[in-house]
Amino acid sequence: MMNLLTVSGSPHIHGNQNVKKIMWQVVLALMPAMLVSFWYFGLSAILLTVISVTGAVVVEYLIAKFLLKTTPTVGDGSAVITGLLLAFNVPSSLPWWEMLIGVTFAIGVAKMAYGGLGKNPFNPAIAGRIFMLVSFPVDMTTWPKPGLPFNTLNFSVDGLTGPTSLGILKERVGENISSISAQLPDYMTMFIGEKGGSLGEVSAAAIILGGLFLLFRRIISWHIPISFLLSAFVFAGILYLVDDTQYINPMFHLLAGGLMLGAFFMATDMVTSPMSKTGQIVFGVGCGLLTILIRVWGAYPEGVSFAILIMNAFTPLINKMFKPKSFGR
Amino acid sequence: MLKTFKLGGIHPEENKISKNSPIEEIEAPETAYILMNQNLGAPSVPVVSKGDKVKIGQLIAKGEAFISAFVHSPVSGTVAAVDTHVDATGYKRTAIIINKEGDEWVDGVDLSDKLNSKITASKEEILEIIKDSGIVGLGGATFPAHVKLMVPKDKKAEYLIVNGVECEPYLTSDYRLMLEKADEIVVGVRLLMKALDVPKAIIAIENNKPDAIEHMKNKTVSYPEILIEALKVKYPQGAEKQLIYSLLKREVPSGKLPIEVGCVVQNIGTTFAVYEAVQKNKPLIERIVTVTGKKVKKPSNFKVRIGTPVSTLIEKVGGIPEGSGKVISGGPMMGKSLADLNTPVVKGTSGIVIFDEKESKRNVTYNCIRCARCTDVCPMGLQPYLLSNAVENNAWDIAEKNKVMDCIECGSCHYTCPSNRPLVDNLRIGKAKVGEIIRNRKN
Ligand code: SF4
Ligand code: SF4
């Protein structure tokens, strides 16, 4: 009996959270946005999501097993999250093989080449998206219009494409905002979701729902999403107040493009965001400012991915500068 | 709002299943194994040798260093050997082994149950008796009590803080003591106040023990200088620095002792031992030990002689339950898992907790996902993931710079880590190594 006793260091009890649970809860939180994308973009959305998720899992498995020669841990759910998020970031008309290349890059280069879960400096889904944006610029910026429902059963969607709201804004920069506004969807539509754009971005409401779930389950804290959204809103608001013929209502920025998805699901990626709460706020504010900066003055209509990627690069520095307050010092 | 500490903290399941078991005295062991490393600091030095006859309460080892303590015989009989015996860490340490014969006490010990609340000893006498009685912190840290009470010339004690928090899950020995020996504890508190010459004492109790709070309040109504304070249930509320912060909002500076902010902290059990030593002339030869576990037949609180093998205590609660996987000396957050049940009870043994196999297993370890939960819960404001990494990479300078020495080994970080990183294991290694480096630098 006596030598059957386990001897290990304290503590001898453990909280009820583990990596697997956390990751699968994030997957669950992504479900509303996924279902909305299926509803609006039909079969092509399903196809791309399946390819991206399976691709992510398979690539991670193969690399872990044959290149790194470690026990694959794809069951932890983190590859599924990357697959889902990457699919959320592409137009529904994207050719399937481009999706596959993108997800291979995301998992293979941005995640596994650094050593896998926890070791990657950049959010794999964002790295993957930017890689695709650079590699397939045209396909990545051709946006089929969503329609109700399953209107894109055929995969050639030429007649149905149109610019995203942010695209319209970018194309017609210099014009008076009020003349553009007529072409933009109203805020309610943008909130519920019926606008051009990437799969997972069309419904702010669905993303907020998932985000609230994560907040409620304490998987993420409010610091990054709130500071991200608020700083974007305030910055865009200042521009709007300065000149409302040049700059659009900040509400538009909040609801357009990938801001919600970025704030709740991409910037909050634990691995690539700062550790301390102050650091997280700095990170969120950085993301918000950069997003608006890029959207208003940059070359791309959308700025969320670049903003997060840039802030990912700053994370180690932020971690050095903003440490938790220590006791007795 | 109940008072609590500011940084971090967790709330593990309380599992105080032995809380309704009154303290039960168990007979002295046939053979007592008395370890010489029962206190923090230098081991005690035996003053008896093989073949010597000893009585209960007789001095058998001296603390010669500044931080050390006296040890007294818990049984009467013959010294069988001055040899080694296994301690809670699994290593063999110097021990005095005594075979019990009869039940004979040294002269002058008042063995009656009668409360003696009249304090006649002077400040100096109290300090002397505490030292001579071998009293150490009974909460588990085993810092010699008399050393804490020697306030340096340039410092002043303003508060005596009596730690009745008992924030470790499962343990109920201090709780039972408060319910059953409140009068004696109050006298003990008054003795300590006199020894320290402080105007105020605070007895701190976590709010999950409302009857103990109520009871202690009733017992102290005629002593306005003794305050009972209910604290929020949050682990590690009973850690010295956290406790002082909770009560007084004073932060003990890093690397310093509580006296720096005018406080001296003693545990409830220690206070009771002080009463017995000063008022009853009884040295520290026994203590209260909780023996418990979810599958244990009869979770209990025992009054046990020091030197009693843990296996004897386990027999008393109905033996080791089928399918047990781990026996912990102390609480599940900070206690040590025992490799050998012949380990004897020492002055710092607050409880024995038996886990079944499922509870004993550690979960699978994943890579650190940098979720910062460990930093969020660290009551010392450290970054456990970073320190642990530094240790794994032998980066002692980084560990030192990021205050590895401040870690109180409370285990909150490991408890909360979703990747189940062995953070405290690493931090302990880090503390040992960095401590050594610092000492070498000083020499
Ligand atoms: S809690 Fe664990 S996984 Fe999270 S940062 Fe700390 S060590 Fe890493
Ligand atoms: S064990 Fe040390 S590092 Fe971990 S939470 Fe406690 S004090 Fe902090």
Side-chain angles (χ1 to χ4, degrees):
Chain A
M1 175 71 234
M2 279 167 197
N3 29 18
L4 289 180
L5 294 175
T6 308
V7 178
S8 58
S10 61
H12 304 286
I13 48 176
H14 199 262
N16 59 5
Q17 205 53 276
N18 64 48
V19 171
K20 232 181 180 160
K21 264 198 209 163
I22 292 179
M23 296 297 170
W24 285 105
Q25 287 184 73
V26 177
V27 172
L28 196 65
L30 287 168
M31 288 299 111
M34 188 184 87
L35 293 177
V36 170
S37 82
F38 289 177
W39 176 258
Y40 281 126
F41 297 108
L43 262 190
S44 50
I46 300 178
L47 183 74
L48 286 174
T49 307
V50 168
I51 287 173
S52 184
V53 172
T54 340
V57 172
V58 170
V59 170
E60 178 163 325
Y61 181 86
L62 294 178
I63 291 181
K65 183 147 181 135
F66 297 108
L67 284 179
L68 301 179
K69 308 218 186 302
T70 54
T71 330
T73 52
V74 284
D76 64 24
S78 64
V80 175
I81 297 177
T82 302
L84 278 172
L85 285 175
L86 193 59
F88 281 12
N89 272 292
V90 302
S92 64
S93 55
L94 193 81
W96 65 269
W97 57 272
E98 290 183 7
M99 182 84 252
L100 200 57
I101 291 176
V103 82
T104 306
F105 178 88
I107 295 287
V109 178
K111 183 179 181 187
M112 300 309 279
Y114 289 100
L117 179 63
K119 309 248 167 103
N120 49 302
F122 299 104
N123 182 324
I126 291 189
R129 173 171 193 263
I130 288 177
F131 169 80
M132 290 163 85
L133 203 60
V134 176
S135 309
F136 321 114
V138 177
D139 288 340
M140 279 294 282
T141 50
T142 306
W143 311 96
K145 278 189 190 145
L148 284 174
F150 285 69
N151 67 338
T152 52
L153 277 175
N154 59 332
F155 292 108
S156 67
V157 283
D158 292 342
L160 290 160
T161 60
T164 63
S165 320
L166 282 166
I168 298 171
L169 204 61
K170 184 102 272 173
E171 267 168 28
R172 303 179 54 178
V173 65
E175 283 181 45
N176 193 312
I177 283 291
S178 52
S179 69
I180 308 172
S181 290
Q183 293 182 36
L184 298 174
D186 62 87
Y187 296 150
M188 201 54 199
T189 312
M190 291 171 79
F191 180 72
I192 303 293
E194 193 188 340
K195 57 184 189 216
S198 304
L199 292 186
E201 300 174 354
V202 289
S203 168
I207 292 161
I208 292 172
L209 194 69
L212 288 179
F213 172 75
L214 291 185
L215 282 170
F216 180 71
R217 305 283 309 180
R218 293 175 186 251
I219 308 269
I220 60 173
S221 67
W222 59 268
H223 301 79
I224 292 178
I226 297 300
S227 58
F228 192 161
L229 296 174
L230 208 66
S231 67
F233 185 82
V234 168
F235 186 27
I238 292 171
L239 296 178
Y240 178 69
L241 288 180
V242 168
D243 184 355
D244 64 358
T245 62
Q246 276 289 314
Y247 304 108
I248 197 155
N249 188 315
M251 207 50 210
F252 172 85
H253 276 295
L254 271 198
L255 296 171
L259 193 61
M260 288 289 170
L261 186 70
F264 282 108
F265 287 97
M266 316 260 252
T268 52
D269 170 31
M270 298 158 190
V271 177
T272 56
S273 62
M275 309 288 260
S276 73
K277 299 296 173 219
T278 336
Q280 290 176 359
I281 291 176
V282 172
F283 179 88
V285 169
C287 287
L289 294 183
L290 285 170
T291 299
I292 300 300
L293 214 65
I294 297 167
R295 280 185 178 181
V296 173
W297 290 291
Y300 288 91
E302 173 62 295
V304 173
S305 302
F306 286 106
I308 298 176
L309 193 78
I310 292 167
M311 291 314 290
N312 281 169
F314 278 110
T315 292
L317 190 66
I318 297 177
N319 277 338
K320 275 222 173 70
M321 291 173 64
F322 300 92
K323 300 202 164 164
K325 153 121 187 59
S326 57
F327 189 100
R329 286 167 191 280
Chain B
M1 264 298 269
L2 287 167
K3 290 183 178 171
T4 190
F5 55 96
K6 171 177 58 168
L7 296 173
I10 55 174
H11 188 176
E13 243 183 89
E14 292 164 28
N15 284 320
K16 306 267 190 189
I17 38 190
S18 52
K19 73 177 205 274
N20 294 324
S21 313
I23 298 170
E24 201 183 313
E25 180 164 2
I26 59 176
E27 71 278 13
E30 287 309 312
T31 308
Y33 303 86
I34 304 112
L35 290 163
M36 293 294 102
N37 60 328
Q38 297 195 44
N39 54 270
L40 205 86
S44 314
V45 183
V47 295
V48 291
S49 33
K50 185 174 170 183
D52 286 1
K53 295 276 178 213
V54 293
K55 293 179 182 172
I56 308 172
Q58 183 179 327
L59 182 73
I60 54 170
K62 273 192 161 162
E64 285 173 346
F66 176 64
I67 300 181
S68 192
F70 288 6
V71 181
H72 304 78
S73 181
V75 294
S76 58
T78 312
V79 176
V82 177
D83 194 4
T84 58
H85 193 72
V86 64
D87 79 350
T89 60
Y91 288 104
K92 297 223 167 198
R93 311 276 184 186
T94 310
I96 299 173
I97 300 158
I98 302 173
N99 287 330
K100 184 179 123 180
E101 290 148 15
D103 195 19
E104 206 181 328
W105 283 78
V106 289
D107 295 338
V109 180
D110 176 357
L111 291 170
S112 75
D113 252 356
K114 215 175 118 275
L115 178 76
N116 178 4
S117 56
K118 198 158 159 280
I119 296 175
T120 50
S122 70
K123 173 182 155 92
E124 287 71 27
E125 280 165 344
I126 296 171
L127 286 170
E128 196 62 30
I129 297 171
I130 289 175
K131 181 173 183 206
D132 290 346
S133 307
I135 300 174
V136 303
L138 297 187
T142 66
F143 198 85
H146 67 274
V147 183
K148 272 193 184 179
L149 297 172
M150 285 189 269
V151 179
K153 290 251 155 18
D154 55 331
K155 303 279 179 330
K156 200 178 148 29
E158 296 168 59
Y159 288 95
L160 166 70
I161 293 175
V162 182
N163 187 349
V165 168
E166 203 161 46
C167 59
E168 272 271 10
Y170 288 94
L171 303 189
T172 55
S173 52
D174 289 346
Y175 168 75
R176 288 311 312 183
L177 208 53
M178 285 189 280
L179 287 186
E180 297 177 37
K181 299 285 178 198
D183 290 317
E184 288 81 353
I185 289 170
V186 173
V187 179
V189 173
R190 287 167 51 220
L191 287 166
L192 286 169
M193 289 175 74
K194 187 165 181 187
L196 282 168
D197 202 8
V198 290
K200 278 194 207 90
I202 309 174
I203 302 179
I205 306 170
E206 261 189 335
N207 205 35
N208 56 357
K209 308 169 190 74
D211 41 352
I213 295 168
E214 208 34 56
H215 192 60
M216 292 308 299
K217 274 191 177 150
N218 291 338
K219 294 292 183 184
T220 48
V221 272
S222 42
Y223 301 102
E225 67 276 22
I226 303 176
L227 192 79
I228 309 297
E229 187 82 64
L231 294 177
K232 189 171 166 189
V233 183
K234 186 164 96 172
Y235 178 89
Q237 190 71 264
E240 225 168 47
K241 292 183 175 182
Q242 276 61 37
L243 185 59
I244 294 169
Y245 186 88
S246 298
L247 295 169
L248 301 167
K249 300 277 169 285
R250 295 185 186 177
E251 249 176 73
V252 181
S254 167
K256 293 281 164 52
L257 296 170
I259 192 65
E260 198 73 22
V261 293
C263 297
V264 173
V265 183
Q266 297 283 5
N267 159 275
I268 279 285
T270 315
T271 316
F272 179 69
V274 166
Y275 163 82
E276 289 208 304
V278 182
Q279 304 296 83
K280 299 282 199 176
N281 216 2
K282 187 172 162 191
L284 183 67
I285 55 129
E286 57 195 5
R287 67 155 298 143
I288 315 298
V289 182
T290 300
V291 186
T292 183
K294 282 185 189 151
K295 298 256 168 71
V296 166
K297 281 207 193 80
K298 199 174 133 279
S300 306
N301 298 290
F302 294 129
K303 182 160 140 193
V304 183
R305 300 282 171 95
I306 306 295
T308 307
V310 166
S311 51
T312 310
L313 297 187
I314 294 176
E315 278 160 35
K316 294 277 172 207
V317 294
I320 274 231
E322 189 72 27
S324 294
K326 199 187 250 184
V327 176
I328 301 157
S329 171
M333 288 305 295
M334 293 185 75
K336 291 192 174 71
S337 57
L338 299 177
D340 189 333
L341 301 184
N342 290 319
T343 306
V345 167
V346 291
K347 293 175 182 175
T349 309
S350 42
I352 300 294
V353 184
I354 304 172
F355 274 4
D356 69 23
E357 254 165 63
K358 214 172 106 241
E359 294 168 297
S360 311
K361 289 218 179 70
R362 276 200 174 178
N363 303 338
V364 199
T365 306
Y366 287 88
N367 281 351
C368 169
I369 55 167
R370 310 177 53 77
C371 67
R373 279 160 209 262
C374 54
T375 58
D376 289 349
V377 300
C378 178
M380 296 307 291
L382 304 174
Q383 297 168 280
Y385 74 96
L386 185 142
L387 292 169
S388 169
N389 273 349
V391 170
E392 282 175 3
N393 295 320
N394 297 336
W396 311 117
D397 51 330
I398 295 181
E400 185 182 352
K401 221 176 81 210
N402 287 284
K403 338 279 185 217
V404 73
M405 296 310 282
D406 280 5
C407 169
I408 57 171
E409 299 178 31
C410 69
S412 303
C413 50
H414 183 165
Y415 175 88
T416 202
C417 173
S419 290
N420 197 37
R421 312 285 311 154
L423 298 169
V424 187
D425 297 356
N426 282 339
L427 286 161
R428 268 194 206 108
I429 299 171
K431 281 177 75 176
K433 194 76 198 177
V434 170
E436 193 186 311
I437 292 170
I438 293 173
R439 277 194 302 279
N440 286 344
R441 205 180 297 143
K442 276 187 190 147
N443 296 337

